[in-house]
Amino acid sequence: MARTIGVIGIGHVGVTTAFNIVTKGLADTLVMIDSKEGWAEAERADLKDSLGGLSTYTKLIANDYSALRDADVVIFSAGDISVIKDGDRNSEIKTTKAAIDDVAPKLAASGFHGVLIDVSNPCDVAVSYWQEKLDLGRNQIIGTGTALDTYRMRRAVAEAVRVNVADVRGYNMGEHGADQFTAWSSVRVNNKPIKDFPNVKLDEISEAARLGGWQIFKAKHYTSFGIATIACEIALAVCNDAHRIFPCSAYDPEFDIAIGHPTTIGRTGVIDNPPMGLSGDEVDAYAHAAETIKANLAKLHALS
């Protein structure tokens, strides 16, 4: 079955995502959409120049919402990262809301009925807002959430205990922002609980995961490679019906909000929410993050 993936918002993250989709052969058709005149068309032409050197072929379409009708996945990465202040992703609430308000009716009119993956920040707030704007099941609208934060945590643990990052398992959860936390009760290194490594400074690793993006942002003024990789992995899990677990931003009925937590991802988006088995402190941190996201969603609703 032919696979179609759409990317809306062809900035640093969007074009890196598109490049990964094409060079890894993740889709048979890639639809790129951007509001800046000529931008998606230019990136389409640039990507077409790479096709002769690849072992796969991807049909490339620019700025055609109708081509998203039967898309398996649409990745939304529109927004304006330049408005971020003091390392606060919530600085993007106004610009992200405006982008969603512009795109949502066009996406709905296209007949799109696949899975939407939000990358734009504040991710958890944006996912909740998308769920209000589109007539899709909540399971079909997710965000990258704390998946990238989880990868940053895993990298830091791997460096601390000198193992390959693939041998570290566990999750960061909560808000993709200041109120994220590492669920240390879930972290394993070669199947050993992290508590079996007494010399590992957990607080320092948690902080490294939380601030990792800002260290990159201070120099580059954006991040792209990590988040694009996560978006592609989640998109592939949808296309493959992989039933793979990611700490996505997804609806949690207990708190009635989208929040970063382990979710099983397949063809229809969220298949289920595996039990988390958190410690008491982690339960409290998760609840606190949920309240923070709700407060920020209220700020979005208050915008004209």
Side-chain angles (χ1 to χ4, degrees):
M1 182 181 296
R3 296 173 173 177
T4 297
I5 298 177
V7 179
I8 299 177
I10 313 297
H12 295 298
V13 174
V15 75
T16 306
T17 301
F19 180 77
N20 281 337
I21 290 168
V22 171
T23 56
K24 292 180 179 180
L26 303 185
D28 298 284
T29 300
L30 171 64
V31 183
M32 296 182 292
I33 293 176
D34 195 273
S35 61
K36 190 182 299 183
E37 184 176 357
W39 195 264
E41 290 82 358
E43 295 293 11
R44 172 180 177 269
D46 202 0
L47 281 170
K48 285 186 74 173
D49 288 343
S50 73
L51 294 177
L54 302 177
S55 59
T56 57
Y57 179 80
T58 307
K59 181 180 180 181
L60 300 170
I61 298 173
N63 277 345
D64 182 359
Y65 273 94
S66 68
L68 297 176
R69 175 179 173 80
D70 295 318
D72 301 274
V73 177
V74 165
I75 298 168
F76 181 78
S77 54
D80 184 0
I81 198 169
S82 69
V83 302
I84 288 184
K85 298 178 181 178
D86 301 321
D88 182 6
R89 293 176 177 91
N90 289 295
S91 304
E92 297 180 78
I93 282 180
K94 186 173 182 178
T95 53
T96 295
K97 179 183 184 297
I100 293 173
D101 287 342
D102 175 62
V103 168
K106 299 173 185 175
L107 190 58
S110 76
F112 172 68
H113 52 277
V115 174
L116 176 74
I117 301 172
D118 179 89
V119 174
S120 299
N121 284 316
C123 186
D124 309 283
V125 172
V127 171
S128 294
Y129 191 52
W130 272 115
Q131 291 175 348
E132 297 172 10
K133 299 289 286 187
L134 293 181
D135 187 22
L136 296 174
R138 283 171 169 156
N139 61 296
Q140 293 173 260
I141 302 174
I142 58 179
T144 47
T146 50
L148 178 56
D149 307 302
T150 292
Y151 275 31
R152 287 172 176 153
M153 175 274 292
R154 289 175 56 202
R155 173 180 56 79
V157 169
E159 291 172 354
V161 300
R162 298 183 180 181
V163 300
N164 190 291
V165 67
D167 295 322
V168 180
R169 292 288 181 268
Y171 303 106
N172 273 40
M173 296 171 57
E175 181 199 26
H176 179 53
D179 281 331
Q180 67 173 272
F181 65 95
T182 301
W184 289 114
S185 62
S186 71
V187 177
R188 300 286 186 275
V189 179
N190 289 323
N191 208 35
K192 293 182 179 179
I194 194 66
K195 66 181 181 182
D196 289 355
F197 299 83
N199 294 326
V200 176
K201 298 177 181 179
L202 303 186
D203 290 344
E204 290 184 8
I205 289 175
S206 291
E207 193 69 357
R210 188 174 70 85
L211 297 178
W214 301 118
Q215 294 171 349
I216 299 167
F217 182 85
K218 286 177 183 178
K220 290 177 58 175
H221 305 296
Y222 66 92
T223 66
S224 58
F225 299 127
I227 190 60
T229 299
I230 290 293
C232 288
E233 284 195 69
I234 297 173
L236 188 60
V238 173
C239 291
N240 287 345
D241 195 23
H243 287 229
R244 182 178 170 187
I245 296 175
F246 293 91
C248 292
S249 179
Y251 181 71
D252 184 332
E254 180 180 354
F255 293 93
D256 192 31
I257 200 73
I259 183 171
H261 64 281
T263 58
T264 306
I265 301 299
R267 169 65 63 179
T268 58
V270 176
I271 304 298
D272 60 29
N273 300 299
M276 294 183 284
L278 302 178
S279 69
D281 288 345
E282 291 165 355
V283 169
D284 291 342
Y286 187 79
H288 178 73
E291 292 306 314
T292 297
I293 296 165
K294 287 181 180 180
N296 288 324
L297 180 61
K299 292 178 183 178
L300 179 146
H301 286 147
L303 295 172
S304 58

